[in-house]
Amino acid sequence: SLLLASCVGLLVAAVLEADVEQAKAGLWGFNPTLTAAAVCTFFKHSWRTCLLMLWSAAATQILAAGLSRGFATAFRIPVGTLPFCLVATLVFGLLDKVKGYSKAESETVRVRDLL
């Protein structure tokens, strides 16, 4: 799933005609991969979650492209992981509020269980 999200970021880079050197350096795949990791970690796995992961990875990279231009012009700083943070926050808002998107079940692990 993470590799797929990175490929989505590269596809968005190609569509937006991004700088090839930035794409080769992995800058166009980083934020989408973080978003996909968050979706895969916190959402129950289903075909809907897979679609959500692809959509959110593309949205993250489109947002990153816009924000990076704005931040470079206005503040002269890199955008970092802000696109991931914004999209992940919006995606987490779907948990248990939209049919088909529910929390992944996890076991409670206590420290004494690990010792």
Side-chain angles (χ1 to χ4, degrees):
S1 63
L2 301 182
L3 182 60
L4 183 61
S6 182
C7 290
V8 167
L10 287 174
L11 181 65
V12 171
V15 169
L16 296 179
E17 299 176 356
D19 181 31
V20 176
E21 294 304 316
Q22 287 183 350
K24 283 182 182 178
L27 297 177
W28 283 78
F30 183 67
N31 279 309
T33 302
L34 289 176
T35 303
V39 169
C40 289
T41 301
F42 295 105
F43 282 78
K44 191 174 190 177
H45 295 181
S46 69
W47 65 271
R48 288 182 176 155
T49 304
C50 185
L51 292 177
L52 177 65
M53 181 200 64
L54 293 173
W55 170 86
S56 61
T60 300
Q61 194 50 55
I62 292 168
L63 183 63
L67 285 176
S68 64
R69 287 185 182 149
F71 272 53
T73 304
F75 307 114
R76 295 188 178 155
I77 58 172
V79 71
T81 60
L82 181 61
F84 154 70
C85 295
L86 294 174
V87 173
T89 300
L90 291 174
V91 168
F92 288 147
L94 298 174
L95 276 174
D96 296 325
K97 292 185 179 121
V98 177
K99 184 179 178 181
Y101 298 125
S102 58
K103 293 178 185 175
E105 296 177 18
S106 62
E107 292 183 27
T108 303
V109 178
R110 291 173 266 186
V111 174
R112 66 179 174 202
D113 294 339
L114 298 174
L115 300 176

